[in-house]
Amino acid sequence: MNIVVLVKQVPDSGLARQLDAELRVDRNGANNVMGELDEYAVEAALQLKEAHGGEVTVLTLGPDQATETVRKTLAMGADKAVHVSDEAVAGSDALATSKILAAALGRLEWDLVIAGAESTDSGMGVMAHMLAARTGAAAATGARKIELDGDAITVEHQRENGYDVLTASLPAIVSVWDTINTPRYPSLKGIMAAKRKKVETLTVADLGIDPSEVGAGAATTEVLTAADRPERSAGQIVTDEGEGGRKLAAFLAAEKFI
Amino acid sequence: MADILVYVPETGKHAAEVLTLGRSLGDVSAIAFDAQSAALASEYGAAKVYRVSAEGADDYFVDPKATVLADVARKTEPAAFLLPSTDEGKALAARLAVDLDNGLLTDVTGLDAEGVAEQDIFAGATITTSKITKGFTLATVKAGATEAEAAPSEPVVEDVEAEVAESDRRVRIAESVVEPAGDRPGLAEADVVVSGGRGVGSADDFALIERVADVLGGAVGASRAATDAGYYPHKFQVGQTGTTVSPQLYVAAGISGAIQHRAGMQTSKLIVAVNKDADAPIFSMADFGVVGDLFEVLPQVLEEAEKRK
């Protein structure tokens, strides 16, 4: 069982984030972290490896500093990593990103790809299906549970009012929500071991892709303007001195909700 | 008039909104896989309905419908193709983007006839306008982007008979399990959402949040702190990693208002907050706030609501 986990370094969503002068996500801030849902993808892969054997390879696309995110996944227990890092990639849209990741997947032996259901920066939530379209693998996305039995995979696809049970044969691409598990913290031993694990760094040319096919120049979407959302102005705030609920009820009644 | 394709998945409010938005851009041609979706398309003013019958399409995840949608798009060369921003809508749009080598914008909150789309990014802190520079305007539309307005029409119906290819039978939907949310509306579509946070304190005490939601005819939500603490199921989480809501009224009880939570609710029309901590960030965005104990304040609201019935 060979599993590839897709991870992406993103600006910390708990802090203020901004676009740079080119209206791209500013990744030069100090607070870059592993995408929130990616940790659940790594954990899911490690649990499957522990149950079924095999190897977990982490694949990321991003600038040199994304090495920190790669190291964290190796410290959690992933076996090795592939880091596609190339200045030509800056400004790539989802289509180009999927082209690069599909090419990288083409160089690896894998039965299963696991990703977070969406990134916490662009948040499109489309990569798993774009990769399915490019690789021909089955895509069972939005998982809250994954089970493997030989060549057969069963996924509980989370919906708002329940779930669908999806079944497919490997190779497959699965994306996960944070309902699937509780990610482990890297242990000290894991952090030490990570230093000896292999990280292969590749350029897009190494993947057989002409740099002109990716990056801002090849983007199929363009950001025209960006503006801060106007601050919501605070309304009436009352302190409850025994009548707070009644005052709130009066407000709701005036707005015709009760 | 420009030809606007709209994928109509179900009969919900979200699909009606996408049809309404499509109508503001041109003549809508709806793609419907069942009779109910076709009926919704004519209720919301479609000029044409592609009524697809594809034996077995419902038994497989995404692939069969993606193939049909790509075929229709190739044939019609639309000015725009709109889908609702649901898991399925985004999955289908991702397939279309790759199959047609066409740009894609997701979660748009507005779109004009020139193809300029508005999007909220960074948890709603920044608003961008963007457009597609390759192909037609392929976009998924966020719930609440526009108000659904009915405009009954008598659309031209074109029957589309599709075969589900073996290669589209890769992921089988073996079972669909509905976990009842009672009589409450769906979180993403509800006009009123009442959410509880860490301040609710326990799973049992969420019953109070549920009672308030029921009195207001709303859905129940929860902050990440509350779902992580096990007070309420994960699937009701409102926020960056949960559901994004945009109701007429949002009630936040015992929620401080971290960025992660605000991401999921800051486009609500009216925001009401109840929190013990006067410095909670949620108050800076509330239209009406009560600094106080939610277990004192909310029962009083219920009492008053009962009196006003």
CSV table of all heavy atoms in Angstrom, one decimal, chain A residues 160 257-258, chain B residues 13 181-195 208-221 232 236 245 247-251 302:
chain,number,residue,atom,x,y,z
A,160,GLU,N,-24.3,17.5,4.6
A,160,GLU,CA,-24.8,18.3,5.7
A,160,GLU,C,-25.8,17.5,6.5
A,160,GLU,O,-25.9,17.5,7.7
A,160,GLU,CB,-25.5,19.6,5.2
A,160,GLU,CG,-25.8,20.5,6.3
A,160,GLU,CD,-26.6,21.7,5.9
A,160,GLU,OE1,-26.5,22.1,4.7
A,160,GLU,OE2,-27.2,22.3,6.7
A,257,PHE,N,-38.7,38.9,14.0
A,257,PHE,CA,-38.3,37.5,14.1
A,257,PHE,C,-39.1,36.7,15.1
A,257,PHE,O,-39.1,35.5,15.1
A,257,PHE,CB,-36.8,37.3,14.4
A,257,PHE,CG,-35.9,37.7,13.2
A,257,PHE,CD1,-35.2,38.9,13.1
A,257,PHE,CD2,-35.8,36.8,12.1
A,257,PHE,CE1,-34.5,39.2,12.0
A,257,PHE,CE2,-35.1,37.2,11.0
A,257,PHE,CZ,-34.4,38.4,11.0
A,258,ILE,N,-39.7,37.5,16.1
A,258,ILE,CA,-40.6,36.8,17.0
A,258,ILE,C,-41.9,37.7,17.1
A,258,ILE,O,-41.9,38.9,16.7
A,258,ILE,CB,-40.0,36.6,18.4
A,258,ILE,CG1,-39.5,37.9,19.1
A,258,ILE,CG2,-39.0,35.6,18.4
A,258,ILE,CD1,-39.1,37.7,20.5
B,13,LYS,N,-33.2,26.2,-2.1
B,13,LYS,CA,-33.1,27.6,-2.2
B,13,LYS,C,-31.8,28.0,-3.0
B,13,LYS,O,-31.8,28.9,-3.8
B,13,LYS,CB,-33.1,28.2,-0.8
B,13,LYS,CG,-33.1,29.7,-0.7
B,13,LYS,CD,-33.3,30.0,0.8
B,13,LYS,CE,-32.2,31.1,1.2
B,13,LYS,NZ,-32.1,31.3,2.6
B,181,ALA,N,-32.1,15.9,11.1
B,181,ALA,CA,-31.8,17.0,11.9
B,181,ALA,C,-33.1,17.5,12.5
B,181,ALA,O,-33.3,18.7,12.8
B,181,ALA,CB,-31.2,18.1,11.0
B,182,GLY,N,-34.1,16.6,12.6
B,182,GLY,CA,-35.4,17.0,13.1
B,182,GLY,C,-36.1,17.8,12.0
B,182,GLY,O,-35.9,17.6,10.8
B,183,ASP,N,-36.9,18.7,12.5
B,183,ASP,CA,-37.7,19.6,11.6
B,183,ASP,C,-36.9,20.9,11.2
B,183,ASP,O,-37.5,21.7,10.6
B,183,ASP,CB,-39.1,19.9,12.2
B,183,ASP,CG,-39.9,18.7,12.4
B,183,ASP,OD1,-39.7,17.7,11.6
B,183,ASP,OD2,-40.7,18.7,13.4
B,184,ARG,N,-35.7,20.9,11.7
B,184,ARG,CA,-35.0,22.2,11.5
B,184,ARG,C,-34.5,22.3,10.0
B,184,ARG,O,-34.2,21.3,9.4
B,184,ARG,CB,-33.8,22.3,12.4
B,184,ARG,CG,-34.2,22.3,13.9
B,184,ARG,CD,-33.1,22.7,14.8
B,184,ARG,NE,-33.6,22.5,16.2
B,184,ARG,CZ,-33.3,21.4,16.9
B,184,ARG,NH1,-32.4,20.5,16.4
B,184,ARG,NH2,-33.8,21.2,18.1
B,185,PRO,N,-34.4,23.6,9.6
B,185,PRO,CA,-33.9,23.8,8.2
B,185,PRO,C,-32.4,23.5,8.1
B,185,PRO,O,-31.7,23.4,9.1
B,185,PRO,CB,-34.2,25.3,7.9
B,185,PRO,CG,-34.3,25.9,9.3
B,185,PRO,CD,-34.8,24.8,10.2
B,186,GLY,N,-31.9,23.3,6.9
B,186,GLY,CA,-30.5,23.0,6.7
B,186,GLY,C,-29.7,24.2,7.0
B,186,GLY,O,-30.1,25.4,6.8
B,187,LEU,N,-28.5,24.0,7.6
B,187,LEU,CA,-27.7,25.1,8.1
B,187,LEU,C,-27.3,26.1,7.0
B,187,LEU,O,-27.5,27.3,7.2
B,187,LEU,CB,-26.4,24.5,8.7
B,187,LEU,CG,-25.5,25.3,9.6
B,187,LEU,CD1,-26.3,26.0,10.7
B,187,LEU,CD2,-24.4,24.4,10.2
B,188,ALA,N,-26.9,25.7,5.9
B,188,ALA,CA,-26.4,26.6,4.8
B,188,ALA,C,-27.6,27.4,4.3
B,188,ALA,O,-27.3,28.5,3.7
B,188,ALA,CB,-25.7,25.8,3.7
B,189,GLU,N,-28.8,26.9,4.4
B,189,GLU,CA,-29.9,27.6,3.7
B,189,GLU,C,-30.9,28.3,4.6
B,189,GLU,O,-31.8,29.0,4.2
B,189,GLU,CB,-30.7,26.6,2.9
B,189,GLU,CG,-29.9,26.0,1.8
B,189,GLU,CD,-30.8,25.2,0.8
B,189,GLU,OE1,-31.9,24.9,1.1
B,189,GLU,OE2,-30.3,25.1,-0.4
B,190,ALA,N,-30.7,28.1,5.9
B,190,ALA,CA,-31.6,28.6,6.9
B,190,ALA,C,-31.7,30.2,6.9
B,190,ALA,O,-30.6,30.8,6.8
B,190,ALA,CB,-31.3,28.1,8.3
B,191,ASP,N,-32.8,30.7,7.1
B,191,ASP,CA,-33.0,32.2,7.3
B,191,ASP,C,-32.5,32.7,8.6
B,191,ASP,O,-32.1,33.8,8.8
B,191,ASP,CB,-34.4,32.6,7.1
B,191,ASP,CG,-34.8,32.6,5.6
B,191,ASP,OD1,-33.9,32.8,4.8
B,191,ASP,OD2,-36.0,32.3,5.3
B,192,VAL,N,-32.6,31.8,9.6
B,192,VAL,CA,-32.1,32.1,11.0
B,192,VAL,C,-31.2,31.0,11.4
B,192,VAL,O,-31.5,29.8,11.2
B,192,VAL,CB,-33.3,32.2,11.9
B,192,VAL,CG1,-32.8,32.4,13.4
B,192,VAL,CG2,-34.3,33.3,11.5
B,193,VAL,N,-30.0,31.3,12.0
B,193,VAL,CA,-29.1,30.4,12.6
B,193,VAL,C,-28.8,30.8,14.0
B,193,VAL,O,-28.5,31.9,14.3
B,193,VAL,CB,-27.8,30.2,11.8
B,193,VAL,CG1,-26.8,29.3,12.5
B,193,VAL,CG2,-28.1,29.8,10.3
B,194,VAL,N,-29.0,29.8,14.9
B,194,VAL,CA,-28.6,30.1,16.3
B,194,VAL,C,-27.5,29.2,16.7
B,194,VAL,O,-27.6,27.9,16.6
B,194,VAL,CB,-29.8,29.8,17.2
B,194,VAL,CG1,-29.5,30.1,18.7
B,194,VAL,CG2,-31.1,30.6,16.8
B,195,SER,N,-26.3,29.8,17.0
B,195,SER,CA,-25.1,29.0,17.3
B,195,SER,C,-24.7,29.1,18.7
B,195,SER,O,-24.8,30.2,19.3
B,195,SER,CB,-24.0,29.4,16.4
B,195,SER,OG,-24.2,29.0,15.0
B,208,LEU,N,-30.7,24.2,25.2
B,208,LEU,CA,-31.2,25.6,25.2
B,208,LEU,C,-31.0,26.3,23.9
B,208,LEU,O,-31.9,27.0,23.4
B,208,LEU,CB,-30.5,26.4,26.3
B,208,LEU,CG,-30.8,27.8,26.5
B,208,LEU,CD1,-32.3,28.1,26.8
B,208,LEU,CD2,-29.9,28.5,27.5
B,209,ILE,N,-29.9,26.0,23.2
B,209,ILE,CA,-29.6,26.6,21.9
B,209,ILE,C,-30.7,26.1,20.9
B,209,ILE,O,-31.3,26.8,20.1
B,209,ILE,CB,-28.2,26.2,21.4
B,209,ILE,CG1,-27.2,26.7,22.4
B,209,ILE,CG2,-27.9,26.8,20.0
B,209,ILE,CD1,-27.1,28.2,22.7
B,210,GLU,N,-31.0,24.8,21.0
B,210,GLU,CA,-32.0,24.2,20.1
B,210,GLU,C,-33.4,24.8,20.4
B,210,GLU,O,-34.1,25.0,19.4
B,210,GLU,CB,-32.0,22.6,20.4
B,210,GLU,CG,-30.8,21.9,19.9
B,210,GLU,CD,-30.8,20.4,20.2
B,210,GLU,OE1,-31.5,20.0,21.1
B,210,GLU,OE2,-30.1,19.7,19.4
B,211,ARG,N,-33.7,25.0,21.6
B,211,ARG,CA,-35.0,25.6,21.9
B,211,ARG,C,-35.1,27.0,21.3
B,211,ARG,O,-36.2,27.4,20.7
B,211,ARG,CB,-35.3,25.7,23.4
B,211,ARG,CG,-35.6,24.3,24.0
B,211,ARG,CD,-36.7,24.4,25.1
B,211,ARG,NE,-36.3,25.3,26.2
B,211,ARG,CZ,-35.4,25.0,27.2
B,211,ARG,NH1,-34.8,23.8,27.2
B,211,ARG,NH2,-35.2,25.8,28.1
B,212,VAL,N,-34.1,27.8,21.4
B,212,VAL,CA,-34.1,29.1,20.8
B,212,VAL,C,-34.2,29.0,19.3
B,212,VAL,O,-35.0,29.8,18.7
B,212,VAL,CB,-32.8,30.0,21.2
B,212,VAL,CG1,-32.8,31.3,20.5
B,212,VAL,CG2,-32.8,30.1,22.8
B,213,ALA,N,-33.5,28.1,18.7
B,213,ALA,CA,-33.5,27.9,17.3
B,213,ALA,C,-34.9,27.6,16.8
B,213,ALA,O,-35.5,28.1,15.8
B,213,ALA,CB,-32.5,26.8,16.8
B,214,ASP,N,-35.6,26.7,17.6
B,214,ASP,CA,-36.9,26.2,17.2
B,214,ASP,C,-37.9,27.4,17.3
B,214,ASP,O,-38.8,27.5,16.5
B,214,ASP,CB,-37.3,25.0,18.1
B,214,ASP,CG,-36.5,23.8,17.7
B,214,ASP,OD1,-35.9,23.8,16.6
B,214,ASP,OD2,-36.5,22.8,18.5
B,215,VAL,N,-37.8,28.2,18.4
B,215,VAL,CA,-38.7,29.3,18.5
B,215,VAL,C,-38.6,30.3,17.3
B,215,VAL,O,-39.5,30.9,16.9
B,215,VAL,CB,-38.5,30.1,19.9
B,215,VAL,CG1,-39.0,31.5,19.9
B,215,VAL,CG2,-39.1,29.2,21.0
B,216,LEU,N,-37.3,30.5,16.8
B,216,LEU,CA,-37.1,31.4,15.7
B,216,LEU,C,-37.2,30.7,14.4
B,216,LEU,O,-37.0,31.3,13.3
B,216,LEU,CB,-35.7,32.0,15.9
B,216,LEU,CG,-35.4,32.9,17.1
B,216,LEU,CD1,-34.0,33.2,17.3
B,216,LEU,CD2,-36.2,34.2,17.0
B,217,GLY,N,-37.5,29.4,14.4
B,217,GLY,CA,-37.7,28.7,13.1
B,217,GLY,C,-36.3,28.5,12.4
B,217,GLY,O,-36.3,28.5,11.2
B,218,GLY,N,-35.3,28.4,13.2
B,218,GLY,CA,-33.9,28.4,12.6
B,218,GLY,C,-33.2,27.1,12.7
B,218,GLY,O,-33.7,26.1,13.3
B,219,ALA,N,-32.0,27.1,12.2
B,219,ALA,CA,-31.1,26.0,12.3
B,219,ALA,C,-30.1,26.2,13.5
B,219,ALA,O,-29.9,27.3,13.9
B,219,ALA,CB,-30.2,25.8,11.0
B,220,VAL,N,-29.6,25.1,14.0
B,220,VAL,CA,-28.6,25.2,15.1
B,220,VAL,C,-27.2,25.0,14.5
B,220,VAL,O,-26.9,24.2,13.6
B,220,VAL,CB,-28.8,24.0,16.1
B,220,VAL,CG1,-27.7,24.0,17.2
B,220,VAL,CG2,-30.2,24.2,16.7
B,221,GLY,N,-26.3,25.9,14.9
B,221,GLY,CA,-24.9,25.8,14.6
B,221,GLY,C,-24.1,25.8,15.8
B,221,GLY,O,-24.6,25.9,16.9
B,232,TYR,N,-21.4,19.4,20.5
B,232,TYR,CA,-22.4,19.3,19.4
B,232,TYR,C,-21.7,18.7,18.2
B,232,TYR,O,-20.5,18.9,18.0
B,232,TYR,CB,-22.9,20.7,19.0
B,232,TYR,CG,-24.4,20.7,18.6
B,232,TYR,CD1,-25.4,20.3,19.5
B,232,TYR,CD2,-24.8,21.0,17.3
B,232,TYR,CE1,-26.7,20.3,19.2
B,232,TYR,CE2,-26.2,21.0,17.0
B,232,TYR,CZ,-27.1,20.6,17.9
B,232,TYR,OH,-28.4,20.6,17.6
B,236,PHE,N,-22.3,20.4,12.3
B,236,PHE,CA,-23.0,21.7,12.5
B,236,PHE,C,-22.1,22.9,12.7
B,236,PHE,O,-22.5,23.9,13.1
B,236,PHE,CB,-24.0,21.6,13.7
B,236,PHE,CG,-25.1,20.6,13.4
B,236,PHE,CD1,-25.1,19.3,14.0
B,236,PHE,CD2,-26.2,20.9,12.6
B,236,PHE,CE1,-26.1,18.4,13.8
B,236,PHE,CE2,-27.2,20.0,12.3
B,236,PHE,CZ,-27.1,18.7,12.9
B,245,VAL,N,-22.5,30.3,6.5
B,245,VAL,CA,-23.9,30.7,6.5
B,245,VAL,C,-24.0,32.2,6.3
B,245,VAL,O,-23.1,33.0,6.5
B,245,VAL,CB,-24.6,30.3,7.8
B,245,VAL,CG1,-24.4,28.8,8.1
B,245,VAL,CG2,-24.0,31.1,9.0
B,247,PRO,N,-27.4,34.0,6.9
B,247,PRO,CA,-28.8,34.1,7.1
B,247,PRO,C,-29.3,35.5,7.3
B,247,PRO,O,-28.4,36.4,7.4
B,247,PRO,CB,-29.0,33.3,8.4
B,247,PRO,CG,-27.7,33.5,9.1
B,247,PRO,CD,-26.6,33.6,8.0
B,248,GLN,N,-30.6,35.7,7.4
B,248,GLN,CA,-31.1,37.0,7.8
B,248,GLN,C,-30.8,37.4,9.2
B,248,GLN,O,-30.5,38.5,9.5
B,248,GLN,CB,-32.7,37.0,7.6
B,248,GLN,CG,-33.2,36.7,6.2
B,248,GLN,CD,-32.8,37.7,5.2
B,248,GLN,OE1,-32.9,38.9,5.5
B,248,GLN,NE2,-32.2,37.3,4.1
B,249,LEU,N,-30.7,36.4,10.1
B,249,LEU,CA,-30.4,36.6,11.5
B,249,LEU,C,-29.5,35.5,12.0
B,249,LEU,O,-29.7,34.3,11.8
B,249,LEU,CB,-31.7,36.5,12.3
B,249,LEU,CG,-31.5,36.5,13.9
B,249,LEU,CD1,-30.9,37.8,14.3
B,249,LEU,CD2,-32.8,36.2,14.6
B,250,TYR,N,-28.4,35.9,12.6
B,250,TYR,CA,-27.4,35.0,13.2
B,250,TYR,C,-27.3,35.3,14.7
B,250,TYR,O,-27.0,36.4,15.1
B,250,TYR,CB,-26.0,35.1,12.5
B,250,TYR,CG,-25.1,34.1,13.0
B,250,TYR,CD1,-25.1,32.8,12.4
B,250,TYR,CD2,-24.2,34.3,14.0
B,250,TYR,CE1,-24.2,31.8,12.8
B,250,TYR,CE2,-23.3,33.3,14.4
B,250,TYR,CZ,-23.3,32.1,13.8
B,250,TYR,OH,-22.5,31.1,14.2
B,251,VAL,N,-27.6,34.3,15.5
B,251,VAL,CA,-27.5,34.5,16.9
B,251,VAL,C,-26.3,33.7,17.4
B,251,VAL,O,-26.2,32.5,17.2
B,251,VAL,CB,-28.8,34.0,17.7
B,251,VAL,CG1,-28.6,34.2,19.2
B,251,VAL,CG2,-30.0,34.7,17.1
B,302,LEU,N,-36.9,33.3,25.5
B,302,LEU,CA,-37.9,32.3,25.2
B,302,LEU,C,-39.3,32.6,25.8
B,302,LEU,O,-40.3,32.5,25.2
B,302,LEU,CB,-37.5,30.9,25.7
B,302,LEU,CG,-36.3,30.3,25.0
B,302,LEU,CD1,-35.8,29.0,25.7
B,302,LEU,CD2,-36.7,29.9,23.5
